Amino acid sequence: MKVFRKTGVSTLINILGMSVAFAAAMILMVQVRWDTTYDANFEGHSQVFRMENNWMDKGLYSTFFSRPIIEAAKAASPNIEAVGTFGWMPQEATLNKDGEETVLTVPSARVDSSMFSVFPFEWVEGSAREFTAGETAVVSEEYAKTFFGNESAIGKNFKAGSGEQVRVIGVFKDLPQNFSMHYGVLVNLGDDCLDSPNEWSFAAYLKIKDPCRAKETEGMMVNTILEQYGDDHDADETDEFRRGFRIVNLHNAHFERDVRANIASANKAITITLAAIAILLIIIAIINFINFAFAEIPFRIKSINTRKVLGEGRGSLIGRQLMHAGLIALIAFAVACLIMHVVAGTSWASYVSDSLSLKNNVGILALMLGVALISAVIAGLAPALYSTSQPAALVLKGSYGTSVKGKALRNMLVGLQFVLSFLFILMALFVGVQTKFMMGKDMGFDEARVLQTWCGYQAGNQKDALRSHLLQNPSIEAVTFADGQIVSDQKMGWSRPGDDGNQVFMEVLPVDVNFMEFFGLQLADGRDFRESDNQNEAGSIIPNETFMQMFPQYHVGSLMYGHVASCEIIGVVKDFNFKSLQHAMGPLVLYNWGKDGWRSFAQMYVRATPGADFKEVSDYIKEAVCKFDPRREPHMVSVSHLDESIEKMYQSEQSLGKLITIASLVALLIAIIGIIGLVFFETQFIRKEIAVRRVNGATVGSILKMINKKYLIMAGASFVIAAPVAYWLMTAWRKGFAYQAPVPVWIFLVALLAVAAITLAVVTLQSWRAANANPVESLKNE
């Protein structure tokens, strides 16, 4: 009991440190598992690849092709087993229930029948055998129940996307969420754009027989594509064309940083960083465990030697200490599971992509349990071997815990904890700096008080009437429409033959005539759209400055093929950021498609007046959309601030920053626990020195200064080691962004001052009792 009274507090502190470290590590590993298994969670994933090209802007790769190119690629090599074509479609479905239409938001895509030969779909009902003609669809098991309840979905009809009627011919088993084909509805692509070489809106996934021959297959595919384009290119152009095409294993493609794609992607460096942080947190916890175990030896040595004198064997004594360490580790693991369970029900769970529920993470829990037990062996074995190897006289002479070597080891371990804490804190601060830099950078257009909503094609088809209705509200000052979002990482891709015989690639955003005026976009040349442009047969276009620089053969007044015929370049818009700032500026064309657009605008932007109430304006917008599209109900219409939508594009960076911040706080907490333990045990053995100093006139302040000096020097030395390493990590990490924030000096000062202040406070509080103890009593006890 006497030993427990002396070590019980330290044991509880040790359990706290290990619990927090285990919980943080498990949460980080959930995100790591999500990314490391993305598109690697189905049979044959090593054979599935994605086609990519960088012909558009000679910088980032794109996943979009024309269907003629994809069709030609299907027969390019005998190593190709299948090539599936993927097309985007509106994420909604319209159901007819009891004579009334209801619109639901559903993750939807258009694919050809070959897609079911590329990916392994497991059929719950029906099959893909009839998925050979248009107006057919397959749905996931989840959405079959959502649409039709317990009734069979086979043969049922609903409207998909922009309103086409489709018939369900199969129900497939729900697919993992970290899977590129995680969709609720797949509609047959039919012959859409099958003969259109200029519509680059389709992605292609291929399954090859032998992945080891992927490079050879890639070469044969690009040869076939070159034949598709003709052979009127010189050698340099042909070589550049070849270098601009690749096929990438789908799992590896998830980590690509030089590609634009409207699908989930991850930064491999971030994934590795999170895994490293999880491992380092465990290492820090083990360091603490070792520190506490060695520091407790002076309190346990008498009991150990007494047992040795009474005949207990060394093996039994070692086993007893290992059992003690194992019990601490098991308790810490149980508390960590409880922490993870609590976090799963909070907003913090949104920082990771997968569920934090314990039942969904049995594998990670089992792994961490093993780590906990191994940690107990590692942390408990060395102190157990040392403490049981000493002669009984050690009781009188002291122990390794208070020897020069013992102190040096524990100081080194706490110093390592400091170094890691500094690294985490500095990286967390810089991730926040980079994220704020991107979110705060001027996008080049006026986003103030702008609300956005997907109004749908039916309401968008009545845009002029809808606009007039909205402007009747005095809290709304302007309304405009577009075919997509003003800021998105992938827009419609166009390829057009240039006057010099080379292909011209660009991204296209069809817009309403008042779009530029609404957003305050500036003209660099020419004129803005006019109402009369709506009557043009082919429409009119306004490229950005980057387009004009990349393709100097064009100027205001030049003609370019639109969607039905040649249309005129009527102006040039000054560059504005139409993608998130991870990406550099590329060629963009704003397009008014004139008299006969191929679909109505479904993206609506509303500018509220200064001081307008968001909820009131939002409710009015929802009611207006439902008035012009009776299939919808207000709760089905989502209205959001444009600036908030842009901020969400940096969700991965924000989540990373928060995860690293949590890790840095955990690391710092464990380091503080280590300091508390170190100070607690060291003050037990310098009481005589403190008493002598006090008798000779030393003040409490001078005693505290003496004790603090050591730890502040330790923190300073750790900072000197950590700072250059952190700077290297920061500069390496920011290379993944087109717009990079400078590394500010203040984050180093903040980290140093924060850790120094916390260390000073902890050491002072922990040492206060020893410094204020009656020196006479201390000398008497010694």
Side-chain angles (χ1 to χ4, degrees):
M1 286 301 294
K2 185 176 180 181
V3 171
F4 180 78
R5 283 197 300 271
K6 290 181 176 289
T7 63
V9 173
S10 66
T11 299
L12 292 176
I13 294 174
N14 197 9
I15 290 172
L16 172 63
M18 290 189 69
S19 301
V20 175
F22 287 161
M26 289 191 291
I27 291 171
L28 292 175
M29 288 308 296
V30 170
Q31 181 64 50
V32 171
R33 182 194 58 194
W34 172 274
D35 287 322
T36 54
T37 61
Y38 204 101
D39 281 329
N41 45 18
F42 59 90
E43 185 179 355
H45 64 83
S46 63
Q47 298 174 265
V48 178
F49 287 69
R50 186 173 73 191
M51 285 172 50
E52 298 174 359
N53 73 83
N54 73 347
W55 303 323
M56 181 174 291
D57 58 18
K58 309 302 181 185
L60 294 174
Y61 278 79
S62 169
T63 59
F64 284 79
F65 292 83
S66 66
R67 285 201 72 184
I69 286 181
I70 297 174
E71 291 300 313
K74 289 184 176 182
S77 167
N79 193 39
I80 296 176
E81 190 172 317
V83 178
T85 306
F86 173 95
W88 178 88
M89 72 181 303
Q91 307 293 287
E92 61 184 31
T94 305
L95 303 177
N96 191 322
K97 293 185 178 181
D98 300 325
E100 293 186 0
E101 290 189 332
T102 302
V103 178
L104 300 177
T105 300
V106 182
S108 308
R110 302 162 71 206
V111 300
D112 64 3
S113 57
S114 298
M115 196 66 77
F116 302 107
S117 299
V118 175
F119 295 104
F121 285 80
E122 186 176 339
W123 299 100
V124 176
E125 191 178 12
S127 69
R129 282 193 297 271
E130 296 181 55
F131 199 82
T132 54
E135 301 179 344
T136 54
V138 294
V139 298
S140 69
E141 189 175 11
E142 175 190 354
Y143 281 98
K145 292 179 180 177
T146 300
F147 289 175
F148 310 112
N150 294 324
E151 298 180 15
S152 171
I154 302 300
K156 295 288 197 307
N157 296 306
F158 66 91
K159 291 181 182 178
S162 54
E164 65 268 36
Q165 191 82 16
V166 296
R167 176 173 56 88
V168 178
I169 54 93
V171 177
F172 57 88
K173 189 174 181 180
D174 293 334
L175 300 168
Q177 290 189 339
N178 58 339
F179 182 40
S180 288
M181 283 293 111
H182 181 72
Y183 288 93
V185 171
L186 297 174
V187 177
N188 191 281
L189 191 57
D191 296 333
D192 187 26
C193 299
L194 195 58
D195 299 317
S196 177
N198 296 324
E199 182 59 42
W200 287 53
S201 301
F202 303 94
Y205 300 92
L206 61 150
K207 185 176 184 179
I208 60 179
K209 299 174 183 176
D210 183 2
C212 296
R213 294 173 55 200
K215 204 66 183 175
E216 173 192 333
T217 305
E218 178 185 284
M220 299 177 73
M221 293 176 73
V222 76
N223 285 338
T224 302
I225 295 171
L226 275 168
E227 293 174 6
Q228 182 77 17
Y229 270 89
D231 38 347
D232 55 345
H233 301 284
D234 59 36
D236 290 340
E237 291 172 334
T238 300
D239 289 343
E240 186 177 2
F241 194 89
R242 290 181 187 279
R243 288 193 297 270
F245 176 83
R246 70 188 184 191
I247 60 174
V248 183
N249 176 264
L250 193 55
H251 170 62
N252 295 335
H254 179 62
F255 295 102
E256 289 181 319
R257 300 300 290 167
D258 61 345
V259 65
R260 287 192 306 263
N262 267 348
I263 56 178
S265 63
N267 188 328
K268 197 165 192 175
I270 291 176
T271 303
I272 294 173
T273 299
L274 294 179
I277 289 173
I279 293 171
L280 289 174
L281 288 176
I282 298 300
I283 291 174
I284 291 174
I286 293 175
I287 289 172
N288 246 20
F289 205 154
I290 294 172
N291 249 340
F292 276 101
F294 269 115
E296 287 178 359
I297 289 177
F299 299 105
R300 297 185 181 277
I301 197 69
K302 183 175 182 179
S303 173
I304 292 171
N305 285 328
T306 300
R307 291 178 182 275
K308 288 172 67 176
V309 169
L310 293 176
E312 187 168 351
R314 187 185 181 195
S316 175
L317 292 170
I318 292 174
R320 188 187 298 274
Q321 292 188 59
L322 288 181
M323 287 181 63
H324 174 75
L327 180 60
I328 291 176
L330 288 174
I331 294 173
F333 171 73
V335 176
C337 291
L338 179 61
I339 293 172
M340 186 172 175
H341 173 71
V342 172
V343 171
T346 69
S347 60
W348 288 13
S350 62
Y351 298 164
V352 296
S353 302
D354 206 356
S355 168
L356 293 180
S357 170
L358 297 181
K359 67 179 181 180
N360 294 330
N361 295 287
V362 175
I364 290 177
L365 295 180
L367 174 64
M368 193 54 62
L369 176 59
V371 169
L373 294 176
I374 293 172
S375 300
V377 173
I378 294 173
L381 187 59
L385 290 172
Y386 179 82
S387 63
T388 57
S389 67
Q390 305 304 313
L394 185 67
V395 177
L396 300 175
K397 293 180 180 179
S399 77
Y400 184 78
T402 57
S403 68
V404 174
K405 289 184 178 180
K407 289 180 180 180
L409 173 63
R410 283 158 44 208
N411 289 341
M412 182 184 70
L413 294 176
V414 172
L416 178 58
Q417 290 177 326
F418 266 129
V419 170
L420 296 176
S421 298
F422 275 122
L423 285 176
F424 290 155
I425 292 169
L426 288 168
M427 280 304 298
L429 288 172
F430 183 69
V431 170
V433 167
Q434 175 65 33
T435 304
K436 287 181 180 178
F437 174 78
M438 293 187 296
M439 292 192 296
K441 189 173 177 60
D442 182 12
M443 298 294 289
F445 59 87
D446 185 4
E447 57 190 271
R449 309 188 312 279
V450 175
L451 307 179
Q452 64 176 7
T453 184
W454 177 265
C455 66
Y457 292 103
Q458 184 164 318
N461 195 42
Q462 308 167 71
K463 66 179 180 67
D464 292 330
L466 176 56
R467 181 182 4 242
S468 297
H469 178 80
L470 288 170
L471 291 175
Q472 292 176 15
N473 188 320
S475 295
I476 295 176
E477 64 180 32
V479 180
T480 194
F481 295 83
D483 188 51
Q485 295 184 343
I486 184 173
V487 181
S488 62
D489 285 345
Q490 184 72 57
K491 292 179 170 58
M492 184 184 348
W494 272 12
S495 167
R496 296 294 185 266
D499 296 336
D500 57 0
N502 293 319
Q503 290 291 316
V504 176
F505 297 94
M506 72 211 81
E507 290 182 85
V508 181
L509 178 62
V511 298
D512 200 3
V513 291
N514 70 332
F515 186 84
M516 287 185 55
E517 178 187 3
F518 180 94
F519 282 107
L521 298 173
Q522 301 297 310
L523 282 167
D525 194 10
R527 67 171 178 85
D528 194 357
F529 295 115
R530 299 170 181 162
E531 285 292 339
S532 57
D533 292 327
N534 284 330
Q535 303 307 313
N536 289 345
E537 292 295 330
S540 49
I541 61 176
I542 299 179
N544 67 353
E545 292 174 303
T546 297
F547 175 92
M548 304 302 282
Q549 292 164 6
M550 290 181 62
F551 307 109
Q553 65 267 36
Y554 291 100
H555 54 81
V556 174
S558 296
L559 296 178
M560 180 184 293
Y561 193 81
H563 71 288
V564 291
S566 293
C567 56
E568 181 184 357
I569 297 177
I570 62 169
V572 178
V573 63
K574 289 185 178 181
D575 283 338
F576 65 95
N577 289 294
F578 59 93
K579 300 179 187 294
S580 59
L581 297 183
Q582 292 99 330
H583 306 296
M585 190 66 65
L588 173 72
V589 164
L590 300 178
Y591 181 44
N592 176 276
W593 48 36
K595 189 176 181 179
D596 298 312
W598 61 81
R599 57 177 174 255
S600 58
F601 292 130
Q603 184 72 33
M604 182 172 70
Y605 293 96
V606 176
R607 187 180 300 281
T609 57
D613 182 87
F614 167 73
K615 187 177 187 311
E616 290 181 3
V617 175
S618 175
D619 290 343
Y620 186 80
I621 293 171
K622 293 177 180 180
E623 291 171 3
V625 170
C626 294
K627 177 180 179 180
F628 287 86
D629 186 354
R631 303 170 305 164
R632 296 172 178 265
E633 296 180 11
H635 70 272
M636 300 176 183
V637 182
S638 175
V639 179
S640 62
H641 291 280
L642 175 58
D643 53 1
E644 292 178 355
S645 175
I646 295 173
E647 286 184 10
K648 287 181 180 179
M649 301 184 75
Y650 307 111
Q651 185 67 45
S652 62
E653 285 74 28
Q654 293 181 63
S655 295
L656 171 65
K658 290 171 182 175
L659 286 173
I660 295 180
T661 298
I662 293 171
S664 66
L665 293 175
V666 171
L668 186 57
L669 172 64
I670 297 173
I672 290 170
I673 290 172
I675 293 171
I676 292 173
L678 200 57
V679 174
F680 174 76
F681 288 108
E682 286 201 351
T683 53
Q684 300 299 312
F685 300 103
I686 62 172
R687 285 179 300 174
K688 183 175 181 179
E689 179 185 349
I690 294 173
V692 171
R693 287 176 180 271
R694 289 292 308 280
V695 168
N696 289 314
T699 64
V700 172
S702 64
I703 298 295
L704 294 176
K705 182 179 179 181
M706 176 192 73
I707 299 174
N708 271 295
K709 183 179 178 181
K710 168 188 172 180
Y711 293 98
L712 290 176
I713 291 174
M714 187 187 298
S718 301
F719 176 79
V720 171
I721 296 171
V725 177
Y727 182 81
W728 177 80
L729 291 172
M730 293 172 195
T731 53
W733 177 73
R734 70 176 181 176
K735 287 180 181 178
F737 302 90
Y739 298 87
Q740 300 174 4
V743 179
V745 175
W746 66 262
I747 65 175
F748 293 92
L749 295 175
V750 167
L752 178 59
L753 292 175
V755 173
I758 292 171
T759 301
L760 187 64
V762 169
V763 174
T764 299
L765 290 172
Q766 188 68 15
S767 308
W768 184 263
R769 183 178 179 183
N772 278 279
N774 187 332
V776 175
E777 290 297 323
S778 296
L779 291 172
K780 184 190 298 183
N781 291 332
E782 290 293 333

